[in-house]
Amino acid sequence: SQKIEQNSEALNIQEGKTATLTCNYTNYSPAYLQWYRQDPGRGPVFLLLIRENEKEKRKERLKVTFDTTLKQSLFHITASQPADSATYLCALDERGDYKLSFGAGTTVTVRA
Amino acid sequence: DARVTQTPRHKVTEMGQEVTMRCQPILGHNTVFWYRQTMMQGLELLAYFRNRAPLDDSGMPKDRFSAEMPDATLATLKIQPSEPRDSAVYFCASASSYPEQYFGPGTRLTVT
């Protein structure tokens, strides 16, 4: 079965810096890879999707890359702000049928 | 501001009791999901429906869990009998088109 690994430790960064999160998977390359944000006590919120034939996707201060050779996605938050502090989850969708497999998440704390 | 609602938000029950969790998806969303989140296992898809018909429930323990959509505005997840290992946060999510899923606030279940 697919194993998904995200940064094993929490990420603490200074405001204004770039946070880089990794999502590695072991088996098949999914058709789609998604990133979600989750705040304490709340449900996840969809951020971005990248397709297997796309190398990079951007949305405002967020950038996602997808390398099917390395079996890895990188998630960047540029010009980070304290409001970006949250847990970020990557999720793989093998066929684009909503059946998501989630990573454990990486907790990001941005210091003012 | 349309959102997914879940009731109850918190539930404490004794082992062996029946638990029913309810979800009202966003009006017009035809795909509804049930997830479970624990520290050990992370976020897992239990089951999902499209146009009220079950599409996939392979993530759900069949012997004690059941999920239904009595109508388009209500989804239910039932556990009978409950066990301590069922303690988790249960999320409902809904979607109208791929890929964005809208998650509810969750039901925190504690089984003693």
Side-chain angles (χ1 to χ4, degrees):
Chain A
S1 62
Q2 186 76 279
K3 188 176 178 184
I4 304 164
E5 291 183 345
Q6 297 191 238
N7 299 54
S8 57
E9 298 188 5
L11 205 58
N12 290 282
I13 60 170
Q14 185 71 36
E15 182 175 9
K17 301 293 186 184
T18 296
T20 297
L21 287 64
T22 62
C23 175
N24 296 294
Y25 56 93
T26 55
N27 295 339
Y28 59 84
S29 280
Y32 304 90
L33 192 147
Q34 303 181 22
W35 284 88
Y36 284 77
R37 168 185 174 139
Q38 186 172 23
D39 291 284
R42 293 178 175 265
V45 174
F46 172 80
L47 295 175
L48 278 169
L49 171 143
I50 188 164
R51 294 173 173 78
E52 62 178 336
N53 61 351
E54 295 177 320
K55 296 291 186 190
E56 184 179 298
K57 185 73 74 72
R58 291 175 187 260
K59 179 182 177 183
E60 298 173 352
R61 295 182 295 108
L62 307 179
K63 185 177 87 169
V64 173
T65 62
F66 194 6
D67 189 325
T68 55
T69 302
L70 293 178
K71 296 187 177 180
Q72 180 181 79
S73 175
L74 297 179
F75 178 83
H76 306 271
I77 308 171
T78 59
S80 60
Q81 304 168 359
D84 295 326
S85 299
T87 296
Y88 292 86
L89 306 165
C90 73
L92 277 57
D93 186 342
E94 183 180 3
R95 291 184 297 268
D97 61 357
Y98 281 118
K99 198 168 176 181
L100 299 180
S101 298
F102 281 86
T106 299
T107 298
V108 174
T109 302
V110 181
R111 304 186 309 273
Chain B
D1 183 29
R3 55 185 68 186
V4 175
T5 57
Q6 291 186 245
T7 56
R9 293 295 314 278
H10 302 271
K11 176 74 176 179
V12 179
T13 191
E14 292 184 348
M15 183 173 65
Q17 296 297 305
E18 178 178 300
V19 175
T20 298
M21 290 169 269
R22 292 177 175 81
C23 166
Q24 183 171 11
I26 293 172
L27 192 64
H29 283 195
N30 67 345
T31 309
V32 178
F33 309 81
W34 282 107
Y35 289 89
R36 174 172 65 182
Q37 187 171 40
T38 62
M39 288 295 293
M40 292 298 296
Q41 299 298 327
L43 189 61
E44 304 172 287
L45 177 65
L46 297 176
Y48 70 109
F49 297 77
R50 179 161 298 136
N51 298 322
R52 296 176 56 201
L55 277 189
D56 193 305
D57 63 359
S58 59
M60 203 164 65
K62 300 292 191 302
D63 55 339
R64 299 181 299 107
F65 284 59
S66 62
E68 295 180 344
M69 278 202 76
D71 62 58
T73 64
L74 177 64
T76 62
L77 179 66
K78 192 171 295 187
I79 308 174
Q80 166 63 20
S82 57
E83 296 180 2
R85 61 180 167 150
D86 301 329
S87 297
V89 180
Y90 291 81
F91 288 104
C92 175
S94 70
S96 60
S97 60
Y98 191 85
E100 191 160 358
Q101 299 182 34
Y102 294 81
F103 283 75
T107 293
R108 181 174 294 276
L109 174 66
T110 303
V111 183
T112 61

